[in-house]
Amino acid sequence: MVASPFEEPPLDCPRCPRLVGFRHELQGLHADWKNAPVRSFGRLDARLLIVGLAPGMRGANRTGRPFTGDYAGDLLYSTLLKFGFAQGTYRADPNDGLRLVDCRIANAVRCLPPENKPLPVEFTACRPFLQAELAVMSNLRVLVALGKGAHDQILRALTVRPAGAYPFVHNRLHKLPTGLVLADSYHCSRYNTNTGRLTTEMFHQVFEGVRSSLET
């Protein structure tokens, strides 16, 4: 059964003045970009939800689809295809026909923040959207946090306490008191891969654990 819809942020969402101002600035510079809150990608009846921190400037903010159009998307979507969480061909284009399978992708903050750094008040303002999304994902079993920021926001959205009992550690699976499993991964950014903090093999290991958790 498909869960009922939830309300995505409006494309002119006014909640965060700093992000609104940045959005308007980019609309003037790049009129052909989306420059709006990025909607989640994938079905609400998925058992897996991947949560990033916020849209990338030349990725989701430009294309309108999470992790589409930048290096992070190259690694993420190739991994999802490898582990059966996606079908089709990823071409860094929201019209490439790629389809997610039993998987959905969201961001903790839906608008592009300057320097990719949301402020605490912006996390708080945007959290109701993630909470509403979680509330209607009735089949949800596993979440993947891409980076510590996403990890922290997932715990806050689920009101898991004490949060310190679930520290962010790459490739750790946390069994939460909500019954969900939280899988931690370093963010699949070019910076992390170029510095060796995250390798393709390390990223694949996370999704091996995710697939195993879903099959048990």
Side-chain angles (χ1 to χ4, degrees):
M1 180 178 177
V2 179
S4 60
F6 79 104
E7 186 176 351
E8 294 266 16
L11 296 181
D12 59 349
C13 183
R15 291 187 175 217
C16 303
R18 186 179 77 118
L19 303 190
V20 171
F22 193 40
R23 181 200 310 155
H24 289 166
E25 177 184 339
L26 289 173
Q27 286 169 349
L29 294 173
H30 303 284
D32 56 331
W33 291 10
K34 292 295 184 180
N35 294 316
V38 174
R39 306 292 172 88
S40 298
F41 178 36
R43 292 170 59 97
L44 284 166
D45 59 353
R47 294 183 298 162
L48 171 64
L49 178 65
I50 299 167
V51 181
L53 186 69
M57 179 179 288
R58 295 185 177 275
N61 178 68
R62 177 174 63 86
T63 64
R65 190 175 74 179
F67 293 92
T68 299
D70 55 17
Y71 177 81
D74 294 344
L75 179 54
L76 175 61
Y77 286 113
S78 66
T79 300
L80 296 181
L81 286 162
K82 175 181 175 66
F83 288 94
F85 292 114
Q87 291 180 346
T89 301
Y90 172 69
R91 296 192 179 93
D93 180 341
N95 299 311
D96 56 15
L98 185 78
R99 185 173 69 88
L100 297 184
V101 179
D102 204 17
C103 174
R104 186 172 170 89
I105 305 174
N107 279 304
V109 171
R110 312 292 166 123
C111 290
L112 173 70
E115 300 180 353
N116 294 319
K117 294 179 181 179
L119 300 176
V121 67
E122 292 160 355
F123 281 124
T124 300
C126 208
R127 191 173 302 135
F129 296 111
L130 180 59
Q131 289 176 317
E133 195 165 10
L134 291 167
V136 299
M137 293 188 69
S138 57
N139 295 329
L140 184 63
R141 289 182 55 192
V142 180
L143 299 105
V144 173
L146 297 179
K148 186 178 184 302
H151 167 99
D152 292 346
Q153 294 309 311
I154 288 171
L155 295 181
R156 288 186 172 92
L158 293 171
T159 62
V160 171
R161 298 186 180 89
Y166 307 94
F168 176 82
V169 179
H170 178 78
N171 200 27
R172 177 167 294 183
L173 295 175
H174 301 279
K175 293 185 178 179
L176 302 179
T178 59
L180 299 172
V181 172
L182 172 59
D184 286 337
S185 175
Y186 292 135
H187 195 283
C188 48
S189 65
R190 185 183 293 274
Y191 176 82
N192 281 343
T193 56
N194 282 351
T195 59
R197 189 183 194 199
L198 178 69
T199 64
T200 298
E201 292 73 22
M202 290 169 63
F203 198 56
H204 286 177
Q205 287 170 359
V206 173
F207 283 87
E208 288 173 359
V210 168
R211 178 55 78 188
S212 179
S213 293
L214 289 172
E215 291 176 355
T216 57

